[in-house]
C-alpha cells in the first residue's frame, strides 16, 4: 500500500470517528468510548500510526488517584506555553476512550491542513490497561502518581496493580519515569525488568504547614514493607496514607526528590514552594486538599523537566478549571454546589478531611456499584465518614447502594434524622437543590457512574 493511500485511510478513519461521535452527541450520549471501540475494531494499528503525529514529547499518566487532575494541569501548562496538545480531558482512560480522544483531536488538527502535526500527547491511562496502551504506542514519559487500594474486585491487591504497571513499562525501553518519591510502593517500580533500567525523576513534598485546614489525616495506611529486606518501613513524617518521608533500618530510604516542595495549606487554596536545579519557585493554587498539592506538583515536575518557563505555569494554574467531579464548583438552578468524585478509601478520606469543618451546607452522596465503580463497596467502611459525625446539614443519599451508605453513616455516628434516602438520583438531586436556602451550598460526593448521570442532570439545571 503506497504512502498516499495510507494517509487517505487514516484521515477517513478520523472523519468516520468524528461522525459517530457527533451522532451520539445528538442523542445526548457522552460518546467518549464507543467511537474508539469502532475505530479499534476497523483500524487495528490506529494508535501505532497516530503516535507519529506528535512532534514532541508524549506523556502518559497513571496511578490510583490524581490521574485526571494531574493530566489536566499538565495539558493546561503546555497549552499556555503555546503547544498544541491532545489530551483525553473527559477522563475516559481505557483504550477505547483514549482512541476516541486522539482521533477527535487529530481530526480537528488535520481536517483543514493534512500535513499539520501536534506538539504533545497528554494521556491519562487506567493502570490495568497501561500494558495494552504501551504495546500500541511509545511514550517519552510515564508519570506514576501513587498506588492505593482501589476496586479490589477489579485490580486486586497493590502488588497486582503494581505488576500491571511494570508490565506496561516493560513495553517501552526508552521511557523516562516520573515518580512520587513519597510513595514507597513506587521505589522499585522498575526493578525485575527484563530490559535495561529506566531513567527516573522523582518529585516529593518536604514539609506541610496547615492554616485553616485539618492537619490530621485519617486516611487508611498500607503497611508497606521494604523492597530490599521485607521489614516494615518507618517514617520521619507521614502526610497521608503511606505517603511521607520513609526509611528502613537496612538503609533503604526515600529517594531524594529532584523536584521538591514545601506546602502551605489553607481551606480554599494552597501554596507550593518548589525547588528544582537550585532554582526556587512559588505558586499559588486555587484548589483544595493535600492530594491536589501532590497532583499539582506532579504536573509542575513534568513541565520543569521539559523546560517550560515559570510564567506559563503561573498562567496555567490561574486558568485551570477542574475536570468534572474533581473539586468542581458549579451552580445548579443558580445555587452553589461543589462536586467530588470518590472511589476508594484514601481518596474519599482526603476529600472528607477537607469537609470536616464545613458549615452552611448539605451533602448529597451517590453510590453506585456498576462495573466502572467496582462491584465491591466495602471501601465505604474504610473511608473516614466519622469526620462527618458532627455535620449539621442534611445527608441526601442516592444511587444503587444508598442503603449501604445510610448504614455506614449510622455507624459513623451521624444523626440518622438528617438522612434522606432516595435511590433515584434525579429525584434526590432535585430535592437537595430545592431545599437549599440562601447562603447554603450543596456538597456532592459521587462514584464514577453516578457522576455520569449527575453530569447530565447538571446541564439541565445550569441552563
Amino acid at each position: 500500500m503506497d504512502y498516499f493511500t495510507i494517509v487517505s485511510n487514516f484521515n477517513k478513519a478520523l472523519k468516520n470517528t468524528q461522525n459517530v461521535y457527533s451522532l451520539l452527541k445528538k442523542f445526548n450520549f457522552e460518546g467518549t468510548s464507543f467511537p474508539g471501540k469502532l475505530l479499534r475494531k476497523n483500524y487495528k494499528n490506529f494508535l501505532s500510526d497516530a503516535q507519529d503525529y506528535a512532534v514532541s514529547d508524549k506523556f502518559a499518566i497513571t496511578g490510583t488517584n490524581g490521574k485526571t487532575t494531574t493530566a489536566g494541569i499538565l495539558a493546561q501548562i503546555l497549552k499556555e506555553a503555546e503547544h498544541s496538545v491532545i489530551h483525553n480531558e473527559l477522563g475516559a482512560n481505557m483504550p477505547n476512550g483514549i482512541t476516541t480522544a486522539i482521533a477527535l483531536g487529530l481530526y480537528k488538527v488535520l481536517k483543514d491542513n493534512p500535513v499539520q502535526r501536534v506538539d504533545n500527547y497528554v494521556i491519562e491511562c487506567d493502570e490495568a490497561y497501561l500494558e495494552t496502551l504501551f504495546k500500541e504506542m511509545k511514550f517519552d514519559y510515564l508519570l506514576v502518581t501513587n498506588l492505593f487500594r482501589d476496586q479490589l474486585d477489579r485490580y486486586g491487591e497493590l502488588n497486582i496493580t503494581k505488576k500491571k504497571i511494570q508490565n506496561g513499562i516493560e513495553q517501552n525501553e526508552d521511557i523516562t519515569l516520573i515518580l512520587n518519591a513519597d510513595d514507597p510502593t513506587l521505589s522499585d517500580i522498575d526493578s525485575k525488568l527484563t530490559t535495561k533500567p529506566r531513567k527516573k525523576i522523582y518529585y516529593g513534598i518536604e514539609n506541610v504547614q496547615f492554616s485553616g485546614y485539618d492537619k490530621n489525616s485519617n486516611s487508611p495506611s498500607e503497611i508497606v514493607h521494604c523492597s530490599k529486606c521485607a521489614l516494615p518501613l518507618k517514617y520521619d513524617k507521614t502526610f497521608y496514607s503511606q505517603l511521607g518521608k520513609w526509611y528502613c533500618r537496612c538503609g533503604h530510604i526515600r529517594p531524594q526528590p529532584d523536584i521538591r516542595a514545601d506546602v502551605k495549606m489553607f481551606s480554599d487554596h494552597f501554596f507550593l514552594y518548589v525547588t528544582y536545579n537550585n532554582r526556587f519557585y512559588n505558586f499559588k493554587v486555587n484548589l483544595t486538599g493535600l492530594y491536589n498539592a501532590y497532583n499539582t506538583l506532579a504536573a509542575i515536575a513534568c513541565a520543569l523537566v521539559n523546560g517550560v518557563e515559570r510564567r506559563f505555569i503561573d498562567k496555567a494554574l490561574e486558568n485551570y478549571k477542574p475536570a468534572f467531579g474533581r473539586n468542581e464548583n458549579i451552580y445548579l438552578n443558580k445555587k452553589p454546589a461543589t462536586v467530588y468524585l470518590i472511589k476508594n478509601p484514601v481518596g474519599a478520606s482526603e476529600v472528607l478531611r477537607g469537609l470536616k469543618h464545613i458549615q452552611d451546607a448539605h451533602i448529597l452522596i451517590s453510590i453506585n456499584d456498576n462495573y466502572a465503580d467496582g462491584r465491591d463497596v466495602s471501601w465505604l467502611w474504610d473511608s473516614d465518614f466519622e469526620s462527618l459525625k458532627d455535620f449539621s446539614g442534611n445527608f441526601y443519599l442516592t444511587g444503587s447502594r444508598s442503603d449501604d451508605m445510610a448504614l455506614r453513616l449510622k455507624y459513623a455516628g451521624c444523626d440518622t434524622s438528617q438522612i434522606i434516602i432516595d435511590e433515584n438520583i434525579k429525584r434526590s438531586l432535585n430535592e437537595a437543590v430545592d431545599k437549599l436556602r440562601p447562603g447554603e451550598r450543596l456538597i456532592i460526593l459521587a462514584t464514577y457512574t453516578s457522576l455520569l448521570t449527575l453530569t447530565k442532570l447538571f446541564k439541565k439545571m445550569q441552563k
Side-chain angles (χ1 to χ4, degrees):
M1 190 179 296
D2 63 80
Y3 171 77
F4 292 103
T5 301
I6 293 171
V7 171
S8 176
N9 289 343
F10 187 84
N11 291 338
K12 187 181 296 184
L14 297 182
K15 185 174 182 179
N16 289 341
T17 303
Q18 176 65 46
N19 289 340
V20 171
Y21 176 76
S22 298
L23 181 63
L24 290 171
K25 295 298 287 185
K26 283 183 179 180
F27 289 95
N28 203 30
F29 291 104
E30 290 298 321
T32 55
S33 294
F34 185 69
K37 182 178 180 179
L38 289 180
L39 180 53
R40 288 174 63 78
K41 180 179 179 180
N42 297 311
Y43 191 147
K44 297 187 184 302
N45 295 326
F46 173 77
L47 289 180
S48 177
D49 291 347
Q51 67 185 340
D52 296 329
Y53 284 79
V55 298
S56 191
D57 291 324
K58 298 184 287 293
F59 299 88
I61 297 170
T62 197
T64 305
N65 288 348
K67 296 184 290 292
T68 300
T69 300
T70 301
I73 295 174
L74 175 58
Q76 186 73 38
I77 291 172
L78 295 172
K79 289 175 183 177
E80 297 293 353
E82 299 184 349
H83 293 210
S84 54
V85 180
I86 289 180
H87 162 224
N88 52 335
E89 60 188 313
L90 296 179
N93 58 20
M94 297 179 189
N96 291 340
I98 291 169
T99 301
T100 299
I102 291 176
L104 296 179
L106 286 176
Y107 176 78
K108 291 177 183 177
V109 170
L110 300 176
K111 65 177 180 179
D112 296 323
N113 187 353
V115 298
Q116 185 69 32
R117 296 294 183 266
V118 297
D119 293 310
N120 304 106
Y121 288 147
V122 177
I123 301 298
E124 167 195 345
C125 183
D126 183 286
E127 309 93 281
Y129 292 92
L130 191 68
E131 182 178 8
T132 300
L133 177 64
F134 278 13
K135 281 181 177 179
E136 300 180 36
M137 288 186 77
K138 300 303 179 189
F139 284 77
D140 300 286
Y141 293 92
L142 171 64
L143 188 153
V144 187
T145 58
N146 47 58
L147 287 179
F148 300 127
R149 291 173 185 256
D150 183 32
Q151 298 185 26
L152 295 181
D153 55 327
R154 285 184 61 207
Y155 295 105
E157 294 290 345
L158 285 186
N159 61 326
I160 298 176
T161 304
K162 184 175 180 179
K163 180 63 176 174
K164 292 177 185 294
I165 295 175
Q166 289 172 321
N167 289 344
I169 295 170
E170 191 82 70
Q171 301 301 318
N172 194 330
E173 290 192 20
D174 298 319
I175 201 162
T176 295
L177 305 178
I178 300 179
L179 305 172
N180 185 346
D182 298 349
D183 189 340
T185 67
L186 302 180
S187 65
D188 64 339
I189 195 73
D190 68 334
S191 67
K192 302 178 181 178
L193 296 179
T194 60
T195 51
K196 65 183 181 182
R198 307 306 190 258
K199 180 181 178 182
K200 296 186 287 294
I201 297 168
Y202 288 99
Y203 66 93
I205 290 175
E206 298 295 316
N207 301 289
V208 183
Q209 290 182 303
F210 298 94
S211 179
Y213 185 86
D214 192 350
K215 67 179 182 180
N216 297 311
S217 173
N218 292 316
S219 292
S221 297
E222 298 293 332
I223 300 176
V224 180
H225 291 80
C226 176
S227 61
K228 303 293 185 184
C229 71
L231 288 173
L233 293 176
K234 297 182 178 297
Y235 285 80
D236 288 324
K237 292 182 181 178
T238 303
F239 299 125
Y240 68 86
S241 191
Q242 76 263 16
L243 303 187
K245 302 179 81 168
W246 54 270
Y247 68 95
C248 181
R249 287 176 291 176
C250 75
H252 187 40
I253 193 169
R254 165 186 179 257
Q256 179 63 33
D258 301 281
I259 302 97
R260 60 187 186 275
D262 291 334
V263 183
K264 190 166 185 180
M265 297 295 307
F266 294 86
S267 60
D268 59 353
H269 68 281
F270 56 83
F271 287 95
L272 287 176
Y273 304 95
V274 178
T275 303
Y276 173 61
N277 275 352
N278 296 317
R279 297 190 66 180
F280 302 93
Y281 311 82
N282 64 290
F283 302 102
K284 181 183 178 183
V285 185
N286 294 315
L287 296 172
T288 62
L290 188 54
Y291 57 96
N292 273 327
Y294 271 108
N295 296 337
T296 307
L297 179 60
I300 289 172
C302 289
L304 292 177
V305 165
N306 282 270
V308 178
E309 295 178 28
R310 181 221 170 113
R311 61 193 176 101
F312 296 125
I313 300 174
D314 276 328
K315 192 173 181 182
L317 295 178
E318 181 181 345
N319 293 333
Y320 173 70
K321 297 293 187 293
F324 85 110
R326 276 72 172 184
N327 195 8
E328 181 186 15
N329 291 310
I330 59 176
Y331 282 86
L332 302 175
N333 294 343
K334 299 182 180 180
K335 298 177 181 180
T338 305
V339 189
Y340 299 90
L341 171 69
I342 57 171
K343 63 190 184 100
N344 57 46
V346 172
S349 295
E350 286 304 302
V351 167
L352 293 166
R353 179 182 181 184
L355 301 177
K356 187 172 182 179
H357 303 296
I358 195 166
Q359 297 179 344
D360 300 320
H362 301 278
I363 295 178
L364 183 146
I365 306 176
S366 184
I367 305 296
N368 278 350
D369 62 350
N370 298 317
Y371 174 76
D373 306 298
R375 302 288 188 187
D376 179 5
V377 297
S378 62
W379 62 272
L380 296 173
W381 294 89
D382 295 324
S383 303
D384 184 31
F385 286 100
E386 280 72 16
S387 63
L388 298 178
K389 60 185 175 61
D390 296 322
F391 182 69
S392 59
N394 289 332
F395 296 100
Y396 297 90
L397 308 183
T398 188
S400 61
R401 301 303 285 266
S402 52
D403 288 339
D404 297 74
M405 190 66 245
L407 185 65
R408 178 67 185 95
L409 291 182
K410 176 181 178 180
Y411 277 90
C414 298
D415 187 345
T416 56
S417 68
Q418 298 166 214
I419 295 175
I420 302 159
I421 304 171
D422 187 339
E423 188 175 322
N424 184 286
I425 295 176
K426 180 179 180 179
R427 208 161 46 222
S428 186
L429 177 64
N430 285 335
E431 181 178 1
V433 171
D434 288 346
K435 291 188 176 179
L436 282 178
R437 300 173 182 173
E440 292 182 334
R441 172 178 294 273
L442 182 63
I443 306 298
I444 299 172
L445 311 177
T447 56
Y448 182 72
T449 64
S450 291
L451 199 53
L452 294 178
T453 300
L454 285 164
T455 300
K456 293 179 181 179
L457 298 173
F458 293 163
K459 291 178 181 178
K460 297 178 180 178
M461 300 175 79
Q462 290 173 312
K463 291 181 180 180

